Amino acid sequence: MPITRILKQYFGYEEFREGQAEIIAALTSGRDALGVMPTGAGKSLCYQAPAMFLPGVTLVVSPLISLMRDQVQALSANGVPAAFINSSLDGGQYARVMAEARSGARKIIYVAPERLMSPSMLDLARTLPVSLVAVDEAHCISQWGQDFRPSYLDIPRFVDELPKRPVVAAFTATATPRVREDILLTLGLNAPLVVTTGFDRPNLRFEVRRPKDKYAALTEFLRSHEGSGIVYCSTRKEAEAVAGKLAADGCSAARYHAGLSGEERGRSQDDFLFDRARVIVATNAFGMGIDKSDVRFVVHYNMPQNVESYYQEAGRAGRDGLPADCVLFYARRDVNTALFLINQSGNEDEKARNRRLLGQMEGYCETDGCLRRFVLEYFGERVEGDCGNCGNCDGGFAVTDATVDAQKILSCVGRMNKQNRAFGFAVIRKTLQGKRDEGIACRKLDELPTFGAMKDASASYIRRLFDKLAAQGYIALSDDSYRTASLTARARDVLLGGTSVTLRDDGPEPTKPPRPRQTAPGSSKGAEGAVSEGLLARLKALRTDIARKDGVPAFVVFSDAALVDMCRKRPRTEEDFLNVSGVGQVKLKRYGRQFLGLLNGVGASSEPQTDRQ
Ligand code: ADP
Ligand code: ZN
């Protein structure tokens, strides 16, 4: 079956996300690969789709037992025969999985790294046709990373034990070059294709608040936001206190920190996963294993110790690609707590390093600039302009309407494009300012109607506005070194459609304009269809029913993204239903009738339209 068929049939998706197609092409043609992609980018699909394409079995090495269980559940719900082997299985279960693997009844088997070199696993692997070994959280092999696991060093030894060398694929969200290098070397990848995607998560909205009363701010946040989420605290004591208060105030809150027994932690995690608890209040002990794709917010009740941890923790929101909020409650005294914690452990070098990292974290909390830009530049990415979708870009500050000037810039670029020409910022600015130098004259740009349209504007003002238009996707810049500008289709919204463009004043007085809800760029086909909240709520209720009956987390039935797509597309027939993102053959068969019943019962006419875009 061609890989695009596999994508639709088993996973229900129409197209690949950034990086996926290249990695999958490499793996299916027998080449090793390393994928460095942020959380939520879709790394799992990069080995799950090839597993269905390649003959034989794919072994997935994954560090967390809870993660395996979720992944296997989600795969089974898609009709992909998968299983896991780890210490949670009893003897009988273990024997059954082994037998199924031998008989070819399983295409994907998750294995804990500690198991790999055990005699029974080696026996099994030697008799199985293993086509692909995929290493999840591959940074665990590096001693430079924070999550080093000695058992990961068994992976290359295990691969060497196999009669025929399989293709090896490694995946991580860790960006540092040193760790990446370590993965390539230690894992022994063979002329691998290395794919690094950008670290931006466009569907996440970042914000820093400085509430006087953090608890009041938290309850207000929970009142005004939907869905479930994580509240991170920096100490166990604070996590206990916040969870206790929330519970007393009638909010279903679970707690999670290293001071609880394994059993308690497991229970908390399950309560959160199965939506029995809306909120989990946790320390950073609640980490890597969280595979819940519909986390709608991550609130940091305290400032974390460095930007990398912050981005990793906040990044657990919105893995399904739908809008999600990452809010940090900042208070100066968090800095003192962090310093205290830092000074408690490690040698002097480490302490000095951690204090430096803390300084950058403070920088994030204190900046007036775009938060997304701050983070991406921290990770060494080049960022063009502000994001327009973070707390600093779109709220909390006085703004000036700059729509007319924006229209002037766009129309200038548009006229250049109409003549099949595109220029970089400097030429555009000079044209707008009416500066007739040699370059302008020989290109006849002084004959454009927009020549001199912004005669009185300063260069820096035009720059800010231009950057903003680029950041907001009204202008596209070429990716060569000239960075020439062309209008995007969206520019019409500003030129004709009444969409306004604002710039933040640099003045100090904060105001709070209501913020527009942004549709995630990743959530397919943008804002074309309005989503009825009423219908969405009913679809969610149906999903909850089914999930309870089947004993699986709700997002295993359908992701939020799939339900939103149902609202947009309003499928009537089974064929329509297959067009919904996230609906493959098995989900059509399993749930199609119930969801279509609900959707068809809802007539398009009388639906109350409390729409969001
Ligand atoms: P990662 O492991 O990189 O953190 P996941 O593999 O968990 O990310 O994927 C995140 C979410 O994105 C999942 O809900 C997954 O089903 C979804 N997803 C993956 N690939 C695609 C795609 N091509 N189109 C739409 N959704 C996708
Ligand atoms: Zn921003």
Side-chain angles (χ1 to χ4, degrees):
M1 193 188 295
I3 202 82
T4 46
R5 277 276 304 283
I6 289 176
L7 183 68
K8 183 63 206 166
Q9 164 140 358
Y10 290 101
F11 303 94
Y13 300 133
E14 310 291 332
E15 43 196 48
F16 290 113
R17 290 201 187 143
E18 188 189 354
Q20 288 179 331
E22 296 95 301
I23 293 178
I24 291 171
L27 297 179
T28 52
S29 68
R31 184 173 174 195
D32 288 358
L34 166 64
V36 184
M37 298 152 95
T39 310
K43 290 187 282 297
S44 325
L45 191 88
C46 294
Y47 55 81
Q48 290 167 349
M52 293 310 285
F53 179 88
L54 294 166
V57 172
T58 290
L59 294 181
V60 183
V61 183
S62 172
L64 279 136
I65 292 173
S66 60
L67 197 82
M68 290 183 200
R69 188 189 57 186
D70 299 342
Q71 297 242 17
V72 167
Q73 272 183 348
L75 284 168
S76 309
N78 279 325
V80 176
F84 60 84
I85 295 178
N86 62 37
S87 56
S88 76
L89 300 183
D90 63 30
Q93 291 168 319
Y94 188 69
R96 196 169 64 236
V97 174
M98 289 291 202
E100 285 170 347
R102 282 214 173 80
S103 74
R106 305 282 159 191
K107 287 294 284 179
I108 300 183
I109 299 174
Y110 285 80
V111 197
E114 293 77 15
R115 283 266 148 183
L116 285 172
M117 294 306 278
S118 72
S120 61
M121 187 64 215
L122 282 171
D123 267 1
L124 175 72
R126 287 197 193 105
T127 56
L128 280 182
V130 180
S131 301
L132 173 64
V133 170
V135 182
D136 208 4
E137 315 282 4
H139 57 278
C140 292
I141 203 167
S142 170
Q143 311 196 28
W144 298 110
Q146 297 184 338
D147 303 311
F148 174 57
R149 290 219 173 191
S151 57
Y152 261 60
L153 297 172
D154 284 345
I155 299 171
R157 294 169 53 207
F158 171 80
V159 168
D160 281 344
E161 293 285 332
L162 298 177
K164 181 167 176 288
R165 188 186 183 278
V167 181
V168 180
F171 300 91
T172 180
T174 302
T176 64
R178 192 169 206 178
V179 171
R180 225 178 287 172
E181 205 50 37
D182 243 14
I183 295 173
L184 291 174
L185 284 178
T186 321
L187 211 49
L189 295 186
N190 193 355
L193 174 76
V194 179
V195 172
T196 306
T197 63
F199 266 66
D200 189 17
R201 302 274 312 279
N203 61 314
L204 300 187
R205 182 180 182 280
F206 293 93
E207 186 177 348
V208 175
R209 293 189 193 172
R210 300 161 186 247
K212 284 215 178 62
D213 178 345
K214 286 191 181 186
Y215 184 71
L218 177 63
T219 50
E220 163 54 26
F221 180 90
L222 293 175
R223 251 197 309 278
S224 57
H225 287 75
E226 284 177 11
S228 63
I230 307 170
V231 176
Y232 275 112
C233 298
S234 57
T235 62
R236 297 176 191 180
K237 200 171 142 206
E238 184 121 73
E240 281 291 339
V242 171
K245 274 198 253 179
L246 283 177
D249 287 340
C251 170
S252 55
R255 57 202 179 125
Y256 193 106
H257 56 74
L260 300 173
S261 70
E263 195 186 318
E264 280 174 295
R265 273 180 291 170
R267 201 163 47 231
S268 289
Q269 182 161 338
D270 273 359
D271 283 346
F272 182 57
L273 209 60
F274 286 85
D275 296 315
R276 292 187 292 265
R278 181 184 170 209
V279 174
I280 188 158
V281 185
T283 61
N284 59 8
F286 188 55
M288 227 163 26
I290 311 150
D291 201 25
K292 186 169 161 63
S293 70
D294 58 354
V295 173
R296 292 271 69 84
F297 55 83
V298 172
V299 172
H300 277 77
Y301 204 76
N302 305 108
M303 181 185 72
Q305 289 176 26
N306 57 63
V307 177
E308 190 148 1
S309 308
Y310 178 65
Y311 201 59
Q312 219 166 62
E313 287 163 11
R316 293 181 180 128
R319 292 171 77 139
D320 54 13
L322 290 183
D325 286 281
C326 305
V327 182
L328 194 161
F329 288 173
Y330 175 59
R332 277 311 306 179
R333 73 178 168 84
D334 292 341
V335 181
N336 299 332
T337 312
L339 272 175
F340 175 78
L341 294 171
I342 285 171
N343 290 334
Q344 266 187 332
S345 68
N347 61 35
E348 283 314 311
D349 281 354
E350 281 163 358
K351 284 181 197 169
R353 177 172 165 267
N354 289 336
R355 281 190 294 261
R356 260 199 316 279
L357 294 176
L358 178 67
Q360 284 168 303
M361 187 68 233
E362 276 181 76
Y364 175 87
C365 295
E366 299 277 1
T367 183
D368 285 341
C370 172
L371 293 170
R372 187 184 312 275
R373 180 182 183 134
F374 186 102
V375 170
L376 293 177
E377 284 177 350
Y378 175 90
F379 286 120
E381 273 186 36
R382 204 176 130 191
V383 182
E384 216 56 51
D386 295 346
C387 78
N389 182 32
C390 73
N392 285 0
C393 278
D394 69 6
F397 295 90
V399 294
T400 311
D401 186 284
T403 309
V404 174
D405 288 333
Q407 288 168 338
K408 287 178 186 168
I409 296 177
L410 293 174
S411 117
C412 183
V413 173
R415 284 175 194 279
M416 291 167 167
N417 293 166
K418 255 211 189 96
Q419 302 175 344
N420 289 320
R421 301 194 294 173
F423 297 101
F425 173 74
V427 171
I428 294 166
R429 172 183 58 78
K430 280 190 232 162
T431 307
L432 284 162
Q433 287 183 316
K435 300 228 153 105
R436 190 179 283 104
D437 64 11
E438 207 176 314
I440 296 289
C442 80
R443 292 175 174 119
K444 298 210 162 79
L445 293 172
D446 49 358
E447 291 171 17
L448 289 181
T450 41
F451 182 76
M454 297 179 79
K455 230 190 241 88
D456 300 323
S458 72
S460 68
Y461 171 76
I462 300 179
R463 173 94 243 180
R464 275 176 65 207
L465 193 49
F466 180 87
D467 283 347
K468 179 135 193 188
L469 292 171
Q472 293 195 324
Y474 300 121
I475 288 176
L477 298 175
S478 66
D479 49 19
D480 55 25
S481 58
Y482 299 106
R483 309 198 69 70
T484 57
S486 30
L487 290 194
T488 64
R490 290 187 53 202
R492 286 172 60 97
D493 299 350
V494 176
L495 283 167
L496 311 167
T499 300
S500 59
V501 176
T502 54
L503 270 187
R504 215 177 75 195
D505 290 346
D506 287 330
E509 74 282 21
T511 61
K512 267 278 169 198
R515 71 180 163 84
R517 190 79 211 183
Q518 182 132 341
T519 306
S523 70
S524 105
K525 316 295 183 289
E528 74 191 0
V531 170
S532 147
E533 296 288 357
L535 178 56
L536 187 59
R538 264 171 288 166
L539 290 171
K540 281 187 180 168
L542 175 58
R543 177 180 65 176
T544 307
D545 276 357
I546 295 175
R548 290 236 164 95
K549 245 190 268 133
D550 293 359
V552 294
F555 64 88
V556 166
V557 177
F558 278 124
S559 67
D560 281 2
L563 298 188
V564 167
D565 207 36
M566 278 177 216
C567 288
R568 290 224 174 91
K569 296 191 174 136
R570 303 258 175 134
R572 303 253 148 204
T573 64
E574 294 200 345
E575 208 185 329
D576 297 345
F577 197 65
L578 260 184
N579 284 330
V580 172
S581 175
V583 177
Q585 286 296 341
V586 170
K587 289 202 172 165
L588 169 68
K589 265 201 215 98
R590 214 169 272 174
Y591 309 124
R593 232 193 37 223
Q594 280 166 288
F595 280 87
L596 280 170
L598 195 160
L599 287 157
N600 282 327
V602 168
S605 53
S606 59
E607 180 65 13
Q609 294 281 325
T610 40
D611 288 339
R612 71 175 190 206
Q613 52 165 322

